[in-house]
Amino acid sequence: MTPFGYELEFCGANLPRLSKGMQIPLYPKGKCKNYDTFHLETEEKITTENLNGGELISPIYKEKALALQELKEVLKVLKIHQAYIPEKSRNTAIHVHLEKSFLKEEKVYYEALLKFLYAFQSEIFEYAAYQEGIRPNVYDNCSPLKEADIIGFLNDFPKNIEFASKRKCIRFTKETFELRYFSSSLDFERARLPLEFAFSLADYIGNKKWNMKEINTWYRNTYIYPRGYNPERAEI
């Protein structure tokens, strides 16, 4: 399985007390470089209401079952310490990081991934919002992919292997591929969805369960009909 980890943002909870209760370290935002165990980071302006919050950073996993088991446990602890997700949160999200090994550093895998995400992004945003409508921050911190960005990245590959920014729904760094679509939740069945989606996506792309003709058909139809892929218009 592709190594992965996640970041779960939340509001409330006394972070020093939570750190002590979970027996994990607390760091200022972006200061931790060790991903062998869970840790907490401060996150001061995490909602439109500027409520104080935090971010739970997972260790790097190689086993799905272990990740889900520990996710269930840490969510219980967060709720015990009065953590919560604001009803109209703009910035609280779950971000999943995948090691880029599933892309094999080959252009065709990057192309298939980006075109697939572009073709189905309306459906993905709906799924990521837990069927409750796209979250308010979609264009502030999780903006959709644009065809021009995809073309530019593929034309520059492999000279440039970084893509997008923290304001986009996905991001490539030198080491990881980050999915940024999903709103935070302290409910296990909802919080597991970003991980399940990431596992399935890495398996689909990495094990080449696609063909380029199919990918290009979906991609072209989305370009023609920008509201999203419509299977009735597919030309497969």
Side-chain angles (χ1 to χ4, degrees), residues 164-180:
S165 70
K166 289 189 175 183
R167 299 181 68 85
K168 296 288 186 181
C169 57
I170 68 164
R171 188 163 66 115
F172 292 125
T173 67
K174 291 181 179 179
E175 294 82 20
T176 69
F177 165 58
E178 181 182 5
L179 288 161
R180 301 175 54 83

PDB file of all heavy atoms in Angstrom, residues 164-180:
ATOM      1  N   ALA A 164       0.227  23.388  -8.023  1.00  0.00           N
ATOM      2  CA  ALA A 164      -0.813  24.048  -7.230  1.00  0.00           C
ATOM      3  C   ALA A 164      -0.260  24.596  -5.917  1.00  0.00           C
ATOM      4  O   ALA A 164       0.937  24.713  -5.716  1.00  0.00           O
ATOM      5  CB  ALA A 164      -1.996  23.122  -6.985  1.00  0.00           C
ATOM      6  N   SER A 165      -1.180  24.963  -5.036  1.00  0.00           N
ATOM      7  CA  SER A 165      -0.812  25.614  -3.778  1.00  0.00           C
ATOM      8  C   SER A 165      -1.804  25.201  -2.708  1.00  0.00           C
ATOM      9  O   SER A 165      -2.686  24.372  -2.949  1.00  0.00           O
ATOM     10  CB  SER A 165      -0.841  27.138  -3.943  1.00  0.00           C
ATOM     11  OG  SER A 165      -2.191  27.569  -4.091  1.00  0.00           O
ATOM     12  N   LYS A 166      -1.670  25.792  -1.525  1.00  0.00           N
ATOM     13  CA  LYS A 166      -2.582  25.465  -0.436  1.00  0.00           C
ATOM     14  C   LYS A 166      -3.975  26.058  -0.642  1.00  0.00           C
ATOM     15  O   LYS A 166      -4.852  25.878   0.192  1.00  0.00           O
ATOM     16  CB  LYS A 166      -2.001  25.932   0.898  1.00  0.00           C
ATOM     17  CG  LYS A 166      -0.807  25.106   1.352  1.00  0.00           C
ATOM     18  CD  LYS A 166      -0.394  25.444   2.764  1.00  0.00           C
ATOM     19  CE  LYS A 166       0.715  24.527   3.229  1.00  0.00           C
ATOM     20  NZ  LYS A 166       1.105  24.788   4.631  1.00  0.00           N
ATOM     21  N   ARG A 167      -4.168  26.737  -1.749  1.00  0.00           N
ATOM     22  CA  ARG A 167      -5.500  27.271  -2.061  1.00  0.00           C
ATOM     23  C   ARG A 167      -6.234  26.377  -3.068  1.00  0.00           C
ATOM     24  O   ARG A 167      -7.338  26.675  -3.475  1.00  0.00           O
ATOM     25  CB  ARG A 167      -5.394  28.687  -2.600  1.00  0.00           C
ATOM     26  CG  ARG A 167      -4.764  29.662  -1.617  1.00  0.00           C
ATOM     27  CD  ARG A 167      -4.706  31.071  -2.194  1.00  0.00           C
ATOM     28  NE  ARG A 167      -6.034  31.641  -2.345  1.00  0.00           N
ATOM     29  CZ  ARG A 167      -6.693  32.264  -1.378  1.00  0.00           C
ATOM     30  NH1 ARG A 167      -6.147  32.384  -0.185  1.00  0.00           N
ATOM     31  NH2 ARG A 167      -7.896  32.775  -1.596  1.00  0.00           N
ATOM     32  N   LYS A 168      -5.593  25.288  -3.489  1.00  0.00           N
ATOM     33  CA  LYS A 168      -6.186  24.383  -4.468  1.00  0.00           C
ATOM     34  C   LYS A 168      -6.676  23.097  -3.799  1.00  0.00           C
ATOM     35  O   LYS A 168      -6.306  22.779  -2.677  1.00  0.00           O
ATOM     36  CB  LYS A 168      -5.156  24.034  -5.548  1.00  0.00           C
ATOM     37  CG  LYS A 168      -4.696  25.210  -6.394  1.00  0.00           C
ATOM     38  CD  LYS A 168      -5.785  25.673  -7.349  1.00  0.00           C
ATOM     39  CE  LYS A 168      -5.275  26.759  -8.292  1.00  0.00           C
ATOM     40  NZ  LYS A 168      -6.338  27.235  -9.204  1.00  0.00           N
ATOM     41  N   CYS A 169      -7.499  22.346  -4.540  1.00  0.00           N
ATOM     42  CA  CYS A 169      -8.068  21.114  -3.997  1.00  0.00           C
ATOM     43  C   CYS A 169      -7.059  19.972  -3.946  1.00  0.00           C
ATOM     44  O   CYS A 169      -7.272  18.986  -3.231  1.00  0.00           O
ATOM     45  CB  CYS A 169      -9.286  20.696  -4.810  1.00  0.00           C
ATOM     46  SG  CYS A 169      -8.946  20.468  -6.568  1.00  0.00           S
ATOM     47  N   ILE A 170      -5.966  20.078  -4.701  1.00  0.00           N
ATOM     48  CA  ILE A 170      -4.887  19.101  -4.613  1.00  0.00           C
ATOM     49  C   ILE A 170      -3.560  19.838  -4.656  1.00  0.00           C
ATOM     50  O   ILE A 170      -3.503  21.013  -5.031  1.00  0.00           O
ATOM     51  CB  ILE A 170      -4.920  18.066  -5.763  1.00  0.00           C
ATOM     52  CG1 ILE A 170      -4.579  18.741  -7.102  1.00  0.00           C
ATOM     53  CG2 ILE A 170      -6.248  17.341  -5.815  1.00  0.00           C
ATOM     54  CD1 ILE A 170      -4.223  17.777  -8.186  1.00  0.00           C
ATOM     55  N   ARG A 171      -2.511  19.112  -4.290  1.00  0.00           N
ATOM     56  CA  ARG A 171      -1.182  19.723  -4.325  1.00  0.00           C
ATOM     57  C   ARG A 171      -0.131  18.628  -4.470  1.00  0.00           C
ATOM     58  O   ARG A 171      -0.214  17.591  -3.825  1.00  0.00           O
ATOM     59  CB  ARG A 171      -0.938  20.522  -3.043  1.00  0.00           C
ATOM     60  CG  ARG A 171       0.328  21.372  -3.047  1.00  0.00           C
ATOM     61  CD  ARG A 171       0.276  22.418  -1.952  1.00  0.00           C
ATOM     62  NE  ARG A 171       0.293  21.842  -0.628  1.00  0.00           N
ATOM     63  CZ  ARG A 171       1.283  22.013   0.256  1.00  0.00           C
ATOM     64  NH1 ARG A 171       2.327  22.752  -0.057  1.00  0.00           N
ATOM     65  NH2 ARG A 171       1.217  21.472   1.454  1.00  0.00           N
ATOM     66  N   PHE A 172       0.854  18.856  -5.364  1.00  0.00           N
ATOM     67  CA  PHE A 172       2.034  18.013  -5.431  1.00  0.00           C
ATOM     68  C   PHE A 172       3.197  18.774  -4.797  1.00  0.00           C
ATOM     69  O   PHE A 172       3.452  19.929  -5.153  1.00  0.00           O
ATOM     70  CB  PHE A 172       2.437  17.718  -6.884  1.00  0.00           C
ATOM     71  CG  PHE A 172       1.486  16.849  -7.640  1.00  0.00           C
ATOM     72  CD1 PHE A 172       0.961  17.267  -8.844  1.00  0.00           C
ATOM     73  CD2 PHE A 172       1.127  15.602  -7.159  1.00  0.00           C
ATOM     74  CE1 PHE A 172       0.091  16.472  -9.570  1.00  0.00           C
ATOM     75  CE2 PHE A 172       0.260  14.793  -7.869  1.00  0.00           C
ATOM     76  CZ  PHE A 172      -0.261  15.237  -9.077  1.00  0.00           C
ATOM     77  N   THR A 173       3.880  18.142  -3.857  1.00  0.00           N
ATOM     78  CA  THR A 173       5.163  18.645  -3.403  1.00  0.00           C
ATOM     79  C   THR A 173       6.227  17.692  -3.943  1.00  0.00           C
ATOM     80  O   THR A 173       5.910  16.761  -4.696  1.00  0.00           O
ATOM     81  CB  THR A 173       5.236  18.699  -1.869  1.00  0.00           C
ATOM     82  OG1 THR A 173       5.205  17.363  -1.340  1.00  0.00           O
ATOM     83  CG2 THR A 173       4.067  19.499  -1.299  1.00  0.00           C
ATOM     84  N   LYS A 174       7.467  17.882  -3.562  1.00  0.00           N
ATOM     85  CA  LYS A 174       8.518  16.978  -4.031  1.00  0.00           C
ATOM     86  C   LYS A 174       8.312  15.558  -3.519  1.00  0.00           C
ATOM     87  O   LYS A 174       8.693  14.592  -4.174  1.00  0.00           O
ATOM     88  CB  LYS A 174       9.891  17.502  -3.595  1.00  0.00           C
ATOM     89  CG  LYS A 174      10.309  18.777  -4.299  1.00  0.00           C
ATOM     90  CD  LYS A 174      11.678  19.238  -3.856  1.00  0.00           C
ATOM     91  CE  LYS A 174      12.090  20.510  -4.588  1.00  0.00           C
ATOM     92  NZ  LYS A 174      13.421  20.993  -4.151  1.00  0.00           N
ATOM     93  N   GLU A 175       7.693  15.435  -2.327  1.00  0.00           N
ATOM     94  CA  GLU A 175       7.562  14.117  -1.710  1.00  0.00           C
ATOM     95  C   GLU A 175       6.161  13.537  -1.779  1.00  0.00           C
ATOM     96  O   GLU A 175       5.994  12.319  -1.846  1.00  0.00           O
ATOM     97  CB  GLU A 175       7.984  14.165  -0.227  1.00  0.00           C
ATOM     98  CG  GLU A 175       9.450  14.467   0.021  1.00  0.00           C
ATOM     99  CD  GLU A 175       9.752  15.965  -0.046  1.00  0.00           C
ATOM    100  OE1 GLU A 175       8.793  16.760   0.107  1.00  0.00           O
ATOM    101  OE2 GLU A 175      10.921  16.317  -0.265  1.00  0.00           O
ATOM    102  N   THR A 176       5.122  14.376  -1.724  1.00  0.00           N
ATOM    103  CA  THR A 176       3.771  13.841  -1.556  1.00  0.00           C
ATOM    104  C   THR A 176       2.759  14.432  -2.525  1.00  0.00           C
ATOM    105  O   THR A 176       2.973  15.491  -3.121  1.00  0.00           O
ATOM    106  CB  THR A 176       3.251  14.083  -0.116  1.00  0.00           C
ATOM    107  OG1 THR A 176       3.020  15.485   0.079  1.00  0.00           O
ATOM    108  CG2 THR A 176       4.217  13.557   0.921  1.00  0.00           C
ATOM    109  N   PHE A 177       1.648  13.712  -2.630  1.00  0.00           N
ATOM    110  CA  PHE A 177       0.452  14.193  -3.316  1.00  0.00           C
ATOM    111  C   PHE A 177      -0.593  14.434  -2.232  1.00  0.00           C
ATOM    112  O   PHE A 177      -0.903  13.539  -1.442  1.00  0.00           O
ATOM    113  CB  PHE A 177      -0.044  13.147  -4.314  1.00  0.00           C
ATOM    114  CG  PHE A 177      -1.444  13.366  -4.816  1.00  0.00           C
ATOM    115  CD1 PHE A 177      -1.789  14.552  -5.451  1.00  0.00           C
ATOM    116  CD2 PHE A 177      -2.417  12.400  -4.654  1.00  0.00           C
ATOM    117  CE1 PHE A 177      -3.075  14.763  -5.915  1.00  0.00           C
ATOM    118  CE2 PHE A 177      -3.711  12.591  -5.126  1.00  0.00           C
ATOM    119  CZ  PHE A 177      -4.035  13.778  -5.760  1.00  0.00           C
ATOM    120  N   GLU A 178      -1.133  15.658  -2.166  1.00  0.00           N
ATOM    121  CA  GLU A 178      -2.056  16.028  -1.097  1.00  0.00           C
ATOM    122  C   GLU A 178      -3.462  16.242  -1.641  1.00  0.00           C
ATOM    123  O   GLU A 178      -3.669  16.998  -2.584  1.00  0.00           O
ATOM    124  CB  GLU A 178      -1.579  17.309  -0.410  1.00  0.00           C
ATOM    125  CG  GLU A 178      -2.466  17.756   0.736  1.00  0.00           C
ATOM    126  CD  GLU A 178      -2.006  19.063   1.367  1.00  0.00           C
ATOM    127  OE1 GLU A 178      -1.044  19.675   0.851  1.00  0.00           O
ATOM    128  OE2 GLU A 178      -2.624  19.472   2.368  1.00  0.00           O
ATOM    129  N   LEU A 179      -4.441  15.583  -1.010  1.00  0.00           N
ATOM    130  CA  LEU A 179      -5.858  15.780  -1.304  1.00  0.00           C
ATOM    131  C   LEU A 179      -6.439  16.725  -0.279  1.00  0.00           C
ATOM    132  O   LEU A 179      -6.363  16.472   0.924  1.00  0.00           O
ATOM    133  CB  LEU A 179      -6.596  14.434  -1.244  1.00  0.00           C
ATOM    134  CG  LEU A 179      -6.323  13.467  -2.385  1.00  0.00           C
ATOM    135  CD1 LEU A 179      -6.728  12.052  -1.981  1.00  0.00           C
ATOM    136  CD2 LEU A 179      -7.096  13.891  -3.627  1.00  0.00           C
ATOM    137  N   ARG A 180      -7.068  17.824  -0.740  1.00  0.00           N
ATOM    138  CA  ARG A 180      -7.530  18.880   0.156  1.00  0.00           C
ATOM    139  C   ARG A 180      -9.044  19.138   0.050  1.00  0.00           C
ATOM    140  O   ARG A 180      -9.537  20.150   0.503  1.00  0.00           O
ATOM    141  CB  ARG A 180      -6.768  20.178  -0.154  1.00  0.00           C
ATOM    142  CG  ARG A 180      -5.257  20.045   0.001  1.00  0.00           C
ATOM    143  CD  ARG A 180      -4.529  21.313  -0.440  1.00  0.00           C
ATOM    144  NE  ARG A 180      -5.032  22.487   0.226  1.00  0.00           N
ATOM    145  CZ  ARG A 180      -4.657  22.885   1.447  1.00  0.00           C
ATOM    146  NH1 ARG A 180      -3.766  22.174   2.131  1.00  0.00           N
ATOM    147  NH2 ARG A 180      -5.157  23.971   1.983  1.00  0.00           N
TER     148      ARG A 180
END
